[in-house]
Amino acid sequence: MGLLDKQFDDGNIVITSVEGVLNWARLCSLWQMSFGLACCAIEMMAASASHNDIMRFGVLPRPSPRQCDVMIVAGTVTLKMATRVKRLYEQMAEPRYVVSMGSCSNCGGPYWEHGYHVLKGVDRVVPVDVYIPGCPPRPEALLEGWMRLQEKVRDFTLVKEKGAPVGEKA
């Protein structure tokens, strides 16, 4: 038996760090920006439907980037749309996360070889935290990617390691 076992006889006491509480609250209420670029957006909408119900993860679609934590880039990003995606990302509050959904968003998909207008991966304009493969990926894949994002949020720290900038994502 440790020292803490003698001091806390009541079972309703939890000991953790402030950072752990903040990360737990943040990962349980990630709000996504509600926009889609192509066919992957249909699968993203299907993830919100009753069969998959992504809202049980605390996901709430919001129309304004200033109220969002997560941007899901679903579909083909054209060069014309890339500047708009970057502008929306810059309007989001910190900490902000990006999920790249689908082959077109990840690497340009089948369109970048035959067109001059397709961006070869959204990570060229915004930093991506989670990649979801597939063409188009199923709603279950989006749920798996969402759980990967929650793991990243859980490990987020403001403690500066030697040589690393403050607030870097783990």
Side-chain angles (χ1 to χ4, degrees):
M1 294 293 162
L3 180 63
L4 295 179
D5 293 335
K6 294 178 183 175
Q7 291 181 347
F8 303 109
D9 292 332
D10 190 13
N12 293 329
I13 296 174
V14 176
I15 299 173
T16 186
S17 64
V18 172
E19 192 172 71
V21 172
L22 290 176
N23 285 346
W24 173 78
R26 193 175 294 134
L27 74 90
C28 292
S29 63
L30 289 169
W31 292 2
Q32 78 174 39
M33 190 179 322
S34 57
F35 81 103
L37 299 173
C39 50
C40 290
I42 303 298
E43 299 296 328
M44 184 176 68
M45 288 188 280
S48 298
S50 59
H51 186 68
N52 295 297
D53 194 18
I54 197 171
M55 292 185 186
R56 64 191 152 119
F57 291 97
V59 177
L60 190 63
R62 302 298 300 171
S64 171
R66 292 173 185 86
Q67 300 169 341
C68 297
D69 304 310
V70 181
M71 171 190 282
I72 300 175
V73 181
T76 308
V77 182
T78 60
L79 295 176
K80 188 175 183 180
M81 192 65 190
T83 57
R84 275 75 172 178
V85 169
K86 185 170 180 63
R87 180 179 298 166
L88 288 172
Y89 176 78
E90 290 171 349
Q91 291 177 353
M92 294 170 61
E94 292 278 349
R96 54 193 171 199
Y97 305 96
V98 175
V99 175
S100 177
M101 181 176 178
S103 297
C104 293
S105 177
N106 291 343
C107 61
Y111 304 110
W112 76 270
E113 286 185 25
H114 306 293
Y116 61 89
H117 63 290
V118 176
L119 188 68
K120 191 180 175 187
V122 73
D123 55 356
R124 294 177 182 241
V125 291
V126 294
V128 175
D129 296 295
V130 175
Y131 293 92
I132 301 173
C135 182
R138 300 269 312 144
E140 294 85 0
L142 178 59
L143 297 179
E144 175 70 23
W146 200 265
M147 288 189 279
R148 298 277 182 231
L149 181 63
Q150 286 182 326
E151 290 173 9
K152 284 191 146 211
V153 172
R154 180 177 289 121
D155 296 336
F156 181 79
T157 183
L158 290 174
V159 177
K160 182 178 179 182
E161 294 182 20
K162 292 183 178 179
V166 174
E168 185 168 301
K169 297 172 186 174

